[in-house]
Amino acid sequence: MKPTITTTTTSQIPDATPFGAVYHQRFAVQYDYPVHFTQDLFSRDNPVFVSALTRKEPNKRSRFVVFIDADVASSWPALAHDVRAYAESHAEQLQLLAPPETILGGEQVKHDPDLVTRLQHRLVDLRVDRHSYVVAIGGGAFLDMVGYVAATTHRGVRHVRVPTTVLGQNDTRVPAGGFLSPVGGVSLVDLANSIRYPSATPPAGLTNGTTIGVGRVVANGVNFGAMLRAIRGDGDSNILATPSATTMDNQEAEFKATQEVPFITGSFTNTGATNGATNPFQTVQREEVGTILKVTPQIAGEGVPPRTLYPPAP
């Protein structure tokens, strides 16, 4: 992100004062930066990251450092390796000044001036200049802290944000998260990594299930919300029956797994009987409810019977 400063003079004639002249001027700062949406940012064949760093100076090797939110690093152990591998595969355009560093994240980082000072000294030790990039990967509070470090080092260092939460991305106040109860402690990042790395050992809580919620919290409460609960369990199963049917060629056979359920079709109460007695009654119709499967075999010339299945009519 590089600002463009425009200076305009609002008055060509200075104000006369007993001690000299006063010229009134005004300037505006315009910021130009792209917002990329992509998947697998540090996949070696994904050009988004390298193009973002080299778009202003395509003929220059871009120098950068990376800070990773500790919560993200714990949920994505291969992230630091992916960043290094990406820099190596684009070595002609990128220079990673040091291995990615994992830093404590969360709201508490905003109240830790010692951490800010330490990261500022770290950038100076790595010879990060105003043409280098400070890349932050993490949640909203973590990005704010690293952004402050970049803005206060050398009068401002270029900063790239890689948000890992919706709130960190655009502050829409539509949080999504995994709840620790009642089914287990699994976050959205855990779920995403389990899908991306199916051969890796899943988090302990994932084997039992998880609860995922999304909503928008406003001053007067939750504006909208949704919750998805997934429970995984194993238990013993007993096969109660293996139904079969015998039929002829091109003759329909039927499988049923149903039960008769009563449905009330009408009711009547007689209040005109002797001595004011009532005589209420209802009419009930029983219908089969369940699974009904109809099969019509048709033996072909090769002796293989193709089957035509007919689901029951609604």
Side-chain angles (χ1 to χ4, degrees):
M1 181 173 62
K2 185 176 181 180
T4 301
I5 301 177
T6 303
T7 303
T8 58
T9 302
T10 60
S11 176
Q12 298 295 333
I13 303 176
D15 294 340
T17 69
F19 304 99
V22 177
Y23 290 86
H24 296 275
Q25 295 184 325
R26 179 179 302 168
F27 69 91
V29 180
Q30 297 179 346
Y31 289 91
D32 171 30
Y33 60 94
V35 179
H36 296 276
F37 291 84
T38 186
Q39 295 180 340
D40 297 327
L41 176 63
F42 294 107
S43 176
R44 300 183 185 185
D45 57 351
N46 189 335
V48 169
F49 185 76
V50 64
S51 63
L53 266 62
T54 59
R55 72 184 188 98
K56 290 292 187 180
E57 299 172 305
N59 298 322
K60 181 180 178 180
R61 192 183 185 198
S62 297
R63 305 166 72 246
F64 70 103
V65 296
V66 177
F67 298 114
I68 303 175
D69 190 324
D71 293 333
V72 177
S74 64
S75 300
W76 189 353
L79 177 57
H81 173 269
D82 292 346
V83 173
R84 292 195 301 269
Y86 188 92
E88 292 174 358
S89 64
H90 298 275
E92 294 184 357
Q93 298 169 284
L94 300 178
Q95 181 185 1
L96 181 61
L97 300 179
E101 296 187 30
T102 300
I103 307 295
L104 182 66
E107 288 292 330
Q108 63 270 21
V109 300
K110 293 184 177 182
H111 309 287
D112 189 355
D114 293 337
L115 177 59
V116 172
T117 301
R118 182 172 70 83
L119 294 182
Q120 290 171 333
H121 290 167
R122 180 59 174 160
L123 296 184
V124 174
D125 294 340
L126 293 175
R127 300 183 181 276
V128 172
D129 57 28
R130 300 190 66 194
H131 298 282
S132 305
Y133 291 89
V134 176
V135 181
I137 306 174
F142 182 81
L143 299 182
D144 291 343
M145 184 272 296
V146 177
Y148 178 77
V149 171
T152 54
T153 303
H154 297 315
R155 294 177 291 115
V157 178
R158 294 170 176 174
H159 177 45
V160 175
R161 299 162 57 96
V162 183
T164 57
T165 62
V166 176
L167 188 61
Q169 183 181 44
N170 54 12
D171 197 15
T172 59
R173 300 183 183 274
V174 184
F179 298 90
L180 297 181
S181 62
V183 191
V186 181
S187 68
L188 291 179
V189 177
D190 295 329
L191 294 176
N193 287 331
S194 296
I195 296 172
R196 184 180 182 188
Y197 305 105
S199 60
T201 302
L206 190 59
T207 59
N208 298 322
T210 188
T211 302
I212 302 300
V214 60
R216 179 174 183 267
V217 181
V218 295
N220 58 350
V222 178
N223 184 272
F224 67 87
M227 182 176 292
L228 172 65
R229 178 178 298 174
I231 303 176
R232 174 180 173 180
D234 297 320
D236 297 331
S237 301
N238 295 323
I239 299 177
L240 301 179
T242 56
S244 61
T246 303
T247 185
M248 304 284 291
D249 179 25
N250 208 32
Q251 298 295 318
E252 182 182 272
E254 186 178 71
F255 295 93
K256 286 187 177 182
T258 63
Q259 61 179 345
E260 290 189 349
V261 178
F263 293 93
I264 298 176
T265 58
S267 62
F268 180 78
T269 302
N270 182 6
T271 59
T274 306
N275 298 326
T278 59
N279 184 24
F281 68 91
Q282 294 177 329
T283 58
V284 178
Q285 179 179 348
R286 294 181 177 273
E287 297 184 2
E288 291 183 331
V289 176
T291 301
I292 302 175
L293 178 64
K294 296 181 180 181
V295 182
T296 303
Q298 296 175 339
I299 301 177
E302 295 80 5
V304 179
R307 296 171 297 277
T308 302
L309 305 179
Y310 300 94

